Amino acid sequence: MTKKQKNNLIRCIVSLVLVVGLSVAFHFAGLPWWVELIAFLIPYFIVGYDVLLKAFKNIRNGQVFDECFLMTIATIGAIATGEYREGVAVMLFYQIGELFQSIAVGKSRKNISDLMDICPEVANVLHEDGSITEEDPDDVEIGSIIVVNPGERVPIDGIIIEGDTSLDTSALTGESVPRAAHPDEEIISGCISLTGMIKIKTTKEFEDSTVSKILELVENSSMRKAKAENFISRFAKYYTPIVCYSALALFVLPPVIRLLLGLSADWLDWLMRALTFLVISCPCAVVISVPLSFFGGIGSASSKGILVKGSNYLEALASTDTIVFDKTGTLTKGVFEVQEIFTNDDVSRDYLLERAANCESASNHPIAESILRAYKKEFSAEIDHNLIYDVEEIAGHGISIKYRQVKGASVSYKESPDGVVESVDKKVASGEEVHYKIYAGNMRLMKMIGAPVTKEHDEGTVVYVAESRLSEKNQASEIKYLGCIVIADELKETSQEAMSKLRKQGIKTIMLTGDSENAASLIAEKVGVSEYKSELLPGDKVTEVEKLLGEETANEKGQTEAGKRSGKLAFVGDGINDAPVLARADIGIAMGAMGSDAAIEAADIVLMDDDPAKISLAMKISRKTLRIVKQNITFAIAVKVLCLILGALGIANMWIAIFADVGVMVLAVLNATRTLRI
């Protein structure tokens, strides 16, 4: 408990002891009414002075109608009519309810505050002279070398250049098992180095690092309210003044009508009914429990490595019936490895790999990186980027470059005196230059450039390679097909589990990929998605999602209506090319560890450990949160309406009013805290 909470608890206990003691004392001692009044005012002011002050400040500022105003009018009215114990009890139990709410909010905030602790205050920067200085992470430039000692948090994203360690990533991913980290591996900020000292070369500025992005997402999440929260805000805005005027009418109109009918007015009786009506009508239970439920749900999700950018997205996820998945990096690990190399005719294996590596060196796609790794392993050499120019990335097809070959390297073409380019092998004389245009991509690219592919392969993801020699006039010779490289991408361990759990939750799963039909069908069958679409360009994915968003659904009469979906659609992706689809879907879910910054920025929910099985957990959290919200709204309003009717009829006394207000609020708040235990 915080210092303020402890102080409020002490006030409540002292007030309760005084009320009980005074009630017993005055029961046996016949003292004047004014002595009893003064005595009960002591516990009243002890427990309620802050409520009274807030009510008077709000009245002075023109903000009259709130729960403090209702409590002040009801308790002062009860004391003024001689119901001293009831007046103090209303204030006491109201404060007990507020204490329960404060403790509940504190628990739900704990998950968020734990997340805030992932932000290191300093970075140990290593300088060229070997000295180390502590600097503010905001001041550390890209390319700096920082040292992280055992037990310290990584302050900025980067690449390990020296040292091995085990990383505690629980604050980011919810995963309790440490992960091994070695040189040349990427490392994200917020992790704790457990076993060894490591040196990291920073690749991002602090404001762009993972830890800063997470904190920004969490801090902004409360700004995006769910429909239920907006409804409650509007409800309270109009509800409170309505019940205040209704209580006034209940106090004035019946006595006036009774007087007109020649009956006694019974002003005191109707005043007590009006005051009871005010206490019952206090909207605390609904106003507090609904946002608390969403806050608890977001806190619960964040503790498990699921960052929800707002309660509106948590609410929307609960009504999701279709989830569309990207393949690479989402259902698969996105770590490609060269499996087979198939050459054409007289082309050597080394020649094909060298040509493909030069072409793919201009791309940062995981497929390109796998080919470059295979090249470095085979030749123990780096690509000479000075020989590459006129790079052209052909969206959804592949890439092409122009390549300058020099110094006696092996060449496959020569130009005859009459200008005809012939296919032969020879050595270029030292210093002589020969220029080529190299293509690497899918079968669509080969068909587009007219490369004579001798055999198509469907063993996995296939990169076809072709080239043509350029004459001195920069005219291309006939395209020669060199062969293809088969690359395999491994499924994530939890992809099948994720699809299985989502099916049990009644979710339709669809996979969209740019891969070939054969490769896509193989992955779809292994994973177990409901449907899949293959050979899609980035723009095609948007088109497919828009089709799904506008598909026909059955209305209440059983007729189909276009453009009216009964549920929401979510898209899960990780690449920069997924950003448009993530933004277009009802809910965008991005992979946070391997995903691109653009994808994370466009998404509404971020999975920090790239585990697709966490989507099922997020669904469970959202649905349970919505159930609790609906339970609280239904329970609170039903009890209040019943008690308001009983209060207006004079059946409900002040003690029933206390239950209708404080009791319902405590029960609703306790129910809301269940979101923390999902």
Side-chain angles (χ1 to χ4, degrees), residues 28 33 107 270 303 306 358 406 472 498 574:
F28 294 103
W33 65 268
K107 285 184 177 179
W270 288 102
S303 69
I306 305 166
N358 275 287
V406 295
E472 293 180 359
D574 72 313

Coordinates of all heavy atoms in Angstrom, one line a residue, residues 28 33 107 270 303 306 358 406 472 498 574:
F28 N -26.8 4.0 26.0 CA -27.0 3.9 27.4 C -27.1 5.2 28.1 O -27.6 5.3 29.2 CB -25.9 3.0 28.0 CG -25.9 1.6 27.5 CD1 -25.0 1.1 26.6 CD2 -26.8 0.7 28.0 CE1 -25.0 -0.2 26.1 CE2 -26.9 -0.6 27.5 CZ -25.9 -1.1 26.6
W33 N -29.2 16.3 22.4 CA -29.0 16.0 20.9 C -27.8 16.7 20.4 O -27.0 16.2 19.6 CB -30.2 16.4 20.1 CG -30.5 17.9 20.1 CD1 -31.3 18.6 21.0 CD2 -29.9 18.9 19.3 NE1 -31.3 19.9 20.7 CE2 -30.4 20.1 19.6 CE3 -29.0 18.8 18.2 CZ2 -30.1 21.3 19.0 CZ3 -28.7 20.0 17.6 CH2 -29.2 21.3 18.0
K107 N -2.7 -2.3 -8.0 CA -2.3 -3.6 -8.5 C -2.2 -3.7 -10.0 O -1.3 -4.3 -10.6 CB -3.3 -4.7 -8.0 CG -3.1 -5.0 -6.5 CD -4.1 -6.1 -6.1 CE -3.9 -6.5 -4.6 NZ -4.8 -7.6 -4.2
W270 N -40.1 12.7 3.3 CA -39.7 12.8 1.9 C -38.3 13.3 1.7 O -37.6 13.0 0.7 CB -40.7 13.6 1.1 CG -42.0 13.0 0.9 CD1 -43.1 13.2 1.6 CD2 -42.3 11.9 0.0 NE1 -44.1 12.3 1.2 CE2 -43.6 11.5 0.2 CE3 -41.5 11.3 -1.0 CZ2 -44.2 10.5 -0.6 CZ3 -42.1 10.3 -1.7 CH2 -43.5 9.9 -1.5
S303 N 2.1 -7.7 -19.1 CA 3.0 -8.6 -18.2 C 3.4 -9.9 -19.0 O 4.3 -10.6 -18.6 CB 2.3 -8.9 -16.9 OG 1.2 -9.8 -17.1
I306 N 2.5 -8.8 -24.3 CA 1.5 -8.4 -25.4 C 1.2 -6.9 -25.1 O 0.5 -6.6 -24.1 CB 0.2 -9.2 -25.3 CG1 0.5 -10.7 -25.4 CG2 -0.8 -8.8 -26.4 CD1 -0.6 -11.6 -25.0
N358 N 25.8 -11.2 -55.4 CA 26.0 -9.8 -55.9 C 24.6 -9.1 -56.1 O 24.5 -7.9 -55.7 CB 26.8 -9.8 -57.2 CG 28.3 -9.8 -56.9 OD1 28.9 -8.9 -56.4 ND2 28.9 -11.0 -57.1
V406 N 35.9 -7.3 -63.5 CA 37.2 -6.8 -63.9 C 38.3 -7.8 -63.4 O 38.0 -8.8 -62.7 CB 37.5 -5.5 -63.3 CG1 36.6 -4.4 -63.8 CG2 37.4 -5.5 -61.7
E472 N 29.1 -2.5 -75.4 CA 29.6 -1.2 -75.1 C 28.5 -0.1 -75.3 O 28.6 1.0 -74.7 CB 30.8 -0.9 -76.1 CG 32.0 -1.8 -75.8 CD 33.1 -1.5 -76.8 OE1 32.9 -0.6 -77.6 OE2 34.2 -2.1 -76.6
A498 N -0.8 -22.3 -32.2 CA -1.6 -21.0 -32.3 C -2.9 -21.2 -33.1 O -4.0 -20.8 -32.7 CB -0.7 -19.9 -32.9
D574 N 4.9 -8.7 -39.9 CA 6.1 -8.3 -39.3 C 7.0 -7.4 -40.2 O 7.8 -6.6 -39.7 CB 7.0 -9.4 -38.9 CG 7.6 -10.1 -40.1 OD1 6.9 -10.4 -41.0 OD2 8.8 -10.4 -40.0

